[in-house]
Structure formats: C-alpha cells, structure tokens
C-alpha cells in the first residue's frame, strides 16, 4: 500500500520551486493560485531569500502549493477511486495536513490555499505577540526528554518518532534547553520557523482559523486520511476541518501517524515537494517500507515506478 505524505514548515529552501515551474502548465497554475490568495507564490518559490520564506504567512501557502503541484506532476488522482495511482492513505505534517486534505478530496486546491493563507497570517500574528521558536532534539528517550521539557516550561510540539522530538516555547526557554539538554540528547537544532507552533502560544490563531473554516464546505475523504492529532483515520470532511483548526495549538503526533501507516499495511511512502524530512524519519521508524522524496522533477520517474508497484 502506498502512503502519500506532505511536509510541514521548515522544509522550504530558497528557489526550491524553480525547476517545478518549468513543467508544462505549472507556472500558469501557480500564477492562478497566487492571484486567488493575493500572494506571489512564483516569486517566493524562485527568487526570495531564506529570511523571506521563513515568514509564516509566506512559508505555509508556499509549501501547500508545492505539494499540490508536485503531486499533480506525479499524476496521482485521489478523487477517482478506481484510477491507477491512487494512494491507500494520505497524511501531512502540521501545515502539510491541509495539503493532505486536498489529496483526499476534502478541499479543492483553491480552497486549501485560501485556508492555508489565512492560517499563515493568523499564526504569524500570534507569533508576533511573544518571541518564540522551535528546536529539534536529536537523540534521547521520550520518557526522559518530555519531563525535562516540562521542567523548562517547553512543549513537545512535534513528537515525530524515530527518536525525534521538537520543543517549542519562548526564545529564553529554548536558550535554557540548549544549555541544559536532556540526558541522551546529542544536539538541539533551531528550526526555520517563526514561532512556537502547536502550543498555547498559537491559541489566538484558532479563533481566526475557525472563522475562515466556516466559509468552506468540506467533502468526505475519498481515501484514508490519517490525522496528526492522534494518528487516527478520519471519515468525514467536517471532522477533518475541525481537526485542521484545532491542530495549530496542539502537538503533532507524527509518531502515531506512522504507527497507523504500519497497521494499514504500508509498503511504500512518497513525500511530495519539498520532500526529505518525513522520508528521513520513515527510514528509521518504518524499516522495510520503501521511501521516496520528491525534491525536483528529476525524481518523478522513480516515483511513478513506486506508485505503479504499490498504489491501491
């Protein structure tokens, strides 16, 4: 069974969309999305520097657009249940859940981008209230690490599995973590994000996103949709949308998502552009599952072979 996954914030790098826009029709498609949401995705995906695309309000729609564009280039049609190349399940990490909702047919592409644009703006506003951030902890045991984070006032905002936890909190709390690492943690790596996402610091964004969600009419997922909240599968579009709203202030449990992939019988996992982070985790947590990250269009042929071998 094939699982299609979408990365979250921090996966973006300057110019990462450039080669994708050379594909037939891609520039026109992204241009139309840009006009729909009032953000020049072409510019930010090709010319903007690292600081510009670190901005939450820019990074989030840029990542969703890249995921949708690369999946379309791969030829995956999740809306036709009997079509070739349909994944058995979809999921996304953090903002990647909106990309996954589009893959599952819960939201159309423009609706997904409209929602993520409002999400990014709301979370950027929330992040501006207090200087906050996130850092990945490499190594260590969750049973030791999580109590240590609690002691420092930090939140385990992403429990990613394969020994990786992302801590979130104020910059002072993260500095204290760097000086006082939990036992077994080798390194503390600051992430390219502009706030303490998936913590109480994002509570002001929840109301704004809930209001934006009221204008949407979600459809029920056409393929299995696995939620960050608890790794459970979600059967209705209304519940998917409710979870998309609440997750901005609640931890991401990617470890539980991977447990669900395993229970569902996953044999292959493809991560859409800008892939790399989630496949890296899967290689450690899901031994025996073939993985492939879509980084450039050069990866498409290998990805198509994997789709043909493992899709539903």
């Amino acid at each position: 069974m094939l699982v299609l996954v979408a990365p979250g914030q921090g996966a973006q790098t300057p110019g990462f969309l450039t080669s994708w826009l050379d594909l037939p029709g891609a520039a026109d498609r992204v241009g139309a999305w840009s006009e729909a949401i009032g953000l020049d995705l072409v510019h930010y995906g090709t010319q903007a520097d690292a600081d510009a695309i670190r901005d939450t309000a820019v990074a989030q729609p840029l990542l969703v657009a890249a995921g949708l564009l690369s999946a379309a280039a791969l030829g995956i049609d999740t809306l036709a249940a009997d079509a070739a190349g349909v994944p058995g399940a979809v999921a996304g990490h953090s903002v990647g859940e909106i990309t996954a909702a589009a893959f599952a047919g819960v939201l159309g592409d423009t609706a997904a981008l409209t929602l993520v644009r409002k999400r990014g703006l709301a979370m950027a506003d929330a992040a501006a209230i207090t200087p906050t951030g996130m850092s990945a902890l490499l190594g260590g045991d969750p049973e030791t690490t999580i109590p240590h984070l609690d002691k420092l006032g930090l939140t385990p905002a992403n429990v990613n599995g394969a020994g990786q936890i992302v801590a979130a909190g104020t910059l002072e709390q993260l500095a204290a973590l760097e000086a006082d690492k939990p036992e077994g943690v080798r390194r503390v790596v600051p992430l390219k994000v502009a706030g303490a996402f998936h913590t109480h610091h994002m509570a002001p964004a929840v109301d704004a996103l809930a209001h934006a969600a009221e204008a949407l009419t979600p459809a029920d997922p056409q393929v299995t949709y696995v939620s960050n909240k608890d790794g459970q599968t979600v059967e209705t579009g209304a519940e998917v949308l409710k979870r998309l709203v609440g997750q901005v202030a609640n931890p991401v449990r990617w470890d539980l998502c991977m447990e669900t992939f395993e229970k569902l019988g996953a044999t292959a996992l493809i991560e859409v552009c800008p892939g790399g982070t989630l496949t890296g985790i899967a290689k450690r947590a899901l031994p025996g599952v073939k993985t492939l990250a879509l980084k450039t269009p050069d990866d498409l042929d290998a990805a198509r072979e994997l789709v043909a071998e493992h899709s539903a």
Side-chain angles (χ1 to χ4, degrees):
M1 185 196 77
L2 173 68
V3 179
L4 188 68
V5 300
Q9 203 164 335
Q12 72 277 7
T13 55
F16 77 98
L17 207 57
T18 301
S19 59
W20 292 96
L21 294 179
D22 291 334
L23 297 175
D28 289 342
R29 189 175 192 182
V30 177
W33 289 339
S34 298
E35 186 174 349
I37 66 172
L39 182 71
D40 191 344
L41 296 166
V42 173
H43 166 75
Y44 284 110
T46 60
Q47 300 177 22
D49 62 19
D51 285 340
I53 62 173
R54 182 173 177 266
D55 180 351
T56 302
V58 171
Q60 293 190 10
L62 188 59
L63 286 164
V64 172
L68 296 176
L69 190 66
S70 57
L74 184 55
I76 289 181
D77 180 4
T78 59
L79 298 182
D82 58 349
V86 177
V90 299
H93 191 286
S94 186
V95 70
E97 283 207 295
I98 294 180
T99 318
F103 293 159
V106 175
L107 298 173
D109 290 356
T110 301
L113 284 160
T114 299
L115 181 64
V116 76
R117 175 64 167 150
K118 292 177 180 178
R119 180 187 193 268
L121 289 167
M123 292 176 73
D125 288 345
I129 297 172
T130 304
T132 58
M134 304 177 79
S135 294
L137 282 68
L138 306 184
D141 185 321
E143 292 186 3
T144 302
T145 297
I146 291 176
H148 190 90
L149 296 180
D150 290 341
K151 182 185 72 173
L152 296 176
L154 290 159
T155 300
N158 302 163
V159 182
N160 289 332
Q164 188 189 100
I165 291 176
V166 174
T170 66
L171 298 184
E172 292 81 2
Q173 290 167 336
L174 292 170
L177 174 64
E178 179 67 40
D180 181 20
K181 292 187 280 291
E183 181 181 352
V185 171
R186 303 186 305 276
R187 292 176 60 202
V188 176
V189 182
L191 299 186
K192 295 179 287 185
V193 298
F197 306 143
H198 304 293
T199 72
H200 65 91
H201 293 285
M202 291 294 109
V206 174
D207 288 342
L209 199 59
H211 181 70
E214 290 175 358
L216 301 176
T217 304
D220 293 340
Q222 300 301 300
V223 296
T224 300
Y225 180 96
V226 182
S227 169
N228 278 184
K229 180 177 181 179
D230 49 17
Q232 297 299 304
T233 59
V234 182
E235 296 184 355
T236 70
E239 180 64 16
V240 169
L241 196 56
K242 178 181 177 182
R243 287 173 176 239
L244 289 176
V245 170
Q247 57 112 284
V248 299
N250 288 289
V252 171
R253 292 302 304 268
W254 192 249
D255 58 333
L256 300 181
C257 290
M258 290 192 296
E259 288 180 11
T260 298
F261 301 160
E262 189 171 26
K263 291 175 183 176
L264 290 172
T267 55
L269 180 146
I270 293 177
E271 181 181 3
V272 296
C273 177
T277 301
L278 301 181
T279 48
I281 296 172
K283 286 176 182 177
R284 299 188 297 274
L286 298 171
V289 174
K290 292 185 178 181
T291 61
L292 190 146
L294 286 175
K295 298 179 180 179
T296 74
D298 291 340
D299 299 313
L300 286 171
D301 285 344
R304 291 186 183 108
E305 291 181 9
L306 207 60
V307 169
E309 293 171 5
H310 298 272
S311 61

